[in-house]
Amino acid sequence: MNKQVLVTGASRGIGKATAIYLAQNGYEVVLHYNSTKPEGVMEELKNNGKTFRTLQFDIRDREQCKKVLTEDIESFGMYYGIVLNAGIAKDNVFPAMEDNEWDDVLNTNLGGFYNVLRPLVMPMIEKRIKGRIVTISSVSGLCGNRGQVNYSASKAGIIGATKALSLELAKRSITVNCIAPGVIETDMTKDLPFDEVRKLIPMKRFGKAKEVASLVNYLLSEDASYITGQVISVNGGLYL
Ligand code: NAP
């Protein structure tokens, strides 16, 4: 059987590109979604004869995450890789920020780290899987960004959590790394003023989701077995 990799938020954007890229590279992908069934990915994988399955849960819902993930690994075995990609932004300048904008972003992006990984880490250890965990932060988590105090806090939190977990799991040969994308062409960035933002990026273009997916694939590979606790940027040279 191929190695199984769970990709959260596989319906769109970076998660979709990652799931397709990993399937093309021989992984059996477990496509997670919340509100939008990943029909596009499913169609593409089916047409290419790839084995996959889907899982639905809201990463904010701790009990639901635990139940769905535990049932899935009991039925199909523990994953080799976990890609924590699902996330949201709700931008607003801090003095105008609403309680729900703070709570939703923190509960989804940082809460999701705990809710998804907590039920999976012990089974990975018990099964002695030399597994791979890849989290997705952001340039905003490294540098901060105006209008994104909530998002920057959640993404900086992911960096801290990734580094700490990497230390706990290193002796088990489980690697935990983080990718910090810059501005990537997805639904999340579709309303940005393209020409203004482009000028800030040294490479003068937005990144493609596939350019993040290829790094996820590398971090899951045997070649990356001694890399852990790292934050690797994919950002065309952008530091805010
Ligand atoms: P996107 O196109 O907006 O897709 C977000 C994904 O997250 C969707 O698949 C969505 O699933 C899922 N999701 C959102 N809330 C969820 C919840 N409560 N439970 C489960 N799934 C949930 O975003 P993207 O641009 O591909 O971003 C992917 C990741 O990269 C995010 O963590 C984002 O913060 C990060 N990132 C993106 C950029 C960028 O420029 N695009 C830059 C830096 C970092 P449903 O559709 O099923 O709801």
Side-chain angles (χ1 to χ4, degrees):
M1 197 177 78
N2 291 336
K3 288 174 171 171
Q4 299 185 84
V5 179
L6 170 70
V7 180
T8 68
S11 53
R12 299 184 273 129
I14 294 170
K16 174 179 179 177
T18 298
I20 292 171
Y21 202 102
L22 295 181
Q24 284 166 347
N25 281 275
Y27 294 102
E28 181 172 326
V29 282
V30 183
L31 307 169
H32 158 266
Y33 68 101
N34 183 31
S35 51
T36 326
K37 204 161 188 197
E39 307 278 6
V41 190
M42 292 163 66
E43 178 85 12
E44 173 133 6
L45 299 191
K46 251 184 229 158
N47 291 342
N48 288 289
K50 306 292 182 192
T51 310
F52 65 91
R53 63 183 180 278
T54 58
L55 281 186
Q56 190 276 327
F57 56 85
D58 183 334
I59 60 169
R60 292 168 298 185
D61 185 335
R62 189 164 299 162
E63 286 313 309
Q64 196 189 22
C65 288
K66 192 174 171 182
K67 182 175 183 298
V68 175
L69 288 166
T70 303
E71 283 174 7
D72 190 60
I73 60 173
E74 276 171 11
S75 303
F76 297 98
M78 182 54 205
Y79 318 127
Y80 161 76
I82 304 162
V83 184
L84 286 186
N85 162 76
I88 58 165
K90 288 194 176 181
D91 297 353
N92 205 344
V93 288
F94 193 65
M97 189 162 285
E98 304 280 348
D99 291 352
N100 76 297
E101 292 169 336
W102 176 267
D103 292 342
D104 281 356
V105 170
L106 268 290
N107 292 341
T108 306
N109 298 353
L110 192 52
F113 179 100
Y114 180 82
N115 297 339
V116 174
L117 285 183
R118 180 64 185 81
L120 296 178
V121 165
M122 201 58 208
M124 190 178 261
I125 292 171
E126 282 168 354
K127 299 282 177 206
R128 298 182 190 278
I129 295 171
K130 294 179 179 174
R132 302 296 165 85
I133 297 169
V134 179
T135 62
I136 306 290
S137 176
S138 165
V139 64
S140 304
L142 283 168
C143 307
N145 191 20
R146 274 171 292 186
Q148 291 198 313
V149 173
N150 52 355
Y151 185 74
S152 300
S154 70
K155 293 296 186 179
I158 286 174
I159 291 172
T162 301
K163 284 175 176 276
L165 188 60
S166 76
L167 296 175
E168 293 190 14
L169 299 181
K171 66 174 180 292
R172 319 267 180 188
S173 299
I174 298 170
T175 70
V176 192
N177 290 292
C178 180
I179 298 176
V183 186
I184 309 296
E185 266 178 48
T186 68
D187 289 351
M188 192 176 271
T189 54
K190 69 180 186 319
D191 297 327
L192 289 179
F194 179 77
D195 285 325
E196 274 171 54
V197 177
R198 205 168 58 91
K199 284 185 204 143
L200 303 172
I201 303 169
M203 283 194 172
K204 303 297 173 207
R205 67 173 179 86
F206 287 13
K208 308 261 180 231
K210 198 177 169 183
E211 291 171 313
V212 179
S214 63
L215 178 56
V216 175
N217 183 60
Y218 172 69
L219 289 170
L220 294 177
S221 74
E222 192 47 42
D223 287 347
S225 52
Y226 201 53
I227 300 174
T228 196
Q230 301 306 303
V231 183
I232 305 175
S233 293
V234 180
N235 64 13
L238 173 71
Y239 283 97
L240 293 169

